[in-house]
Amino acid sequence: MRMGLVGLGRMGHNMRERLRARGHDVVGFDPGVSSSDVDSLAAMVASLDGPRVVWIMVPHGKATSDTVRALGDLLDSGDLVIEGGNSRFTDDQAHAERLAPRGIDYIDCGVSGGVWGKDLGYALMVGGVEEAVARAMPIFESLLPEGDSAKSFVHAGPVGAGHFAKMIHNGVEYGLMQAYAEGYELLSAEQLVTDVRGVLEAWTAGTVVRSWLLDLLVEALRDDPGLATLSGFVDDSGEGRWTVEEAIGHSVPVPVISAALFARFSSRQDDSPAMKAVSALRRQFGGHAVQKVAP
């Protein structure tokens, strides 16, 4: 399938390469990188035959809204826009409504897989009408990991459902990372334990707490014992906050996710081994920028 991809950052670049490796003809556009295939959004659209498919992979907020608005002026009836960034689900309905008068379909797609997705594949959570999702399935199938697609793909519901599902996914991720990080700090505090990394590695097979995140923490400690090069400052991308806000709106108690979010706030005041572990995990699975300790 020939398609356009707007945004060639950490995720977008790797997604383009995975799609190309599986036979898709992807025209990528990003004014901020040298790997852009064309020099303008208009040129990208002009290079595609109708009905077109364009995937947006840019930062949420104004960048995404501006891109949707620009595509609305360039695309034609029957074209399809897939928004794969981490937009708040409430933005999706506005995007879909902006495109609908032009006859342009819209899918929101939550993407998980980080910098590892190029080789291992991505988990996808999509929202949109059945016909649009079916049309995009060849793209989705090429991005998924090998094996049972039910373990990595879901059509979660109408427009907005995909990003809502991804938002909750990231909220759960906050809680999991915080639990591992606190366990790491407590192990580090006990003088009886002389091989903290070894203890964590011993949990990675056969225990009920084994997971890919735990594997990544062990890998981070192998590369940087004691996480000495990292500060404990941990940013939040917005989705943890949105999850807590939605929990309040739905009267659903989320004490673990809330505590994990507040721990990130506290990380900006005090350096701690636990927050260094969370910082290391974000770098390991997502390639997120981290703050290092000054030499």
Side-chain angles (χ1 to χ4, degrees), residues 113-116 177 212-224 227 230 277-290:
V115 296
W116 300 83
M177 287 196 290
W212 186 42
L213 282 174
L214 182 57
D215 294 341
L216 293 175
L217 179 55
V218 171
E219 186 65 28
L221 289 167
R222 182 180 290 114
D223 295 340
D224 182 7
L227 306 177
L230 294 176
V278 174
S279 183
L281 281 169
R282 293 181 81 244
R283 180 174 63 179
Q284 287 286 328
F285 75 77
H288 296 288
V290 298

Side-chain angles (χ1 to χ4, degrees), residues 50-63:
R52 307 174 185 88
V53 176
V54 177
W55 190 303
I56 302 172
M57 208 69 194
V58 303
H60 67 78
K62 186 177 186 300

Side-chain angles (χ1 to χ4, degrees), residues 8 15 99 119 126 153 185-186 194 208 224 228 242-243 279 295:
L8 299 172
M15 290 170 67
L99 298 174
D119 298 320
V126 306
F153 177 84
E185 181 169 5
L186 191 52
T194 58
V208 297
D224 182 7
W242 301 342
T243 299
S279 183

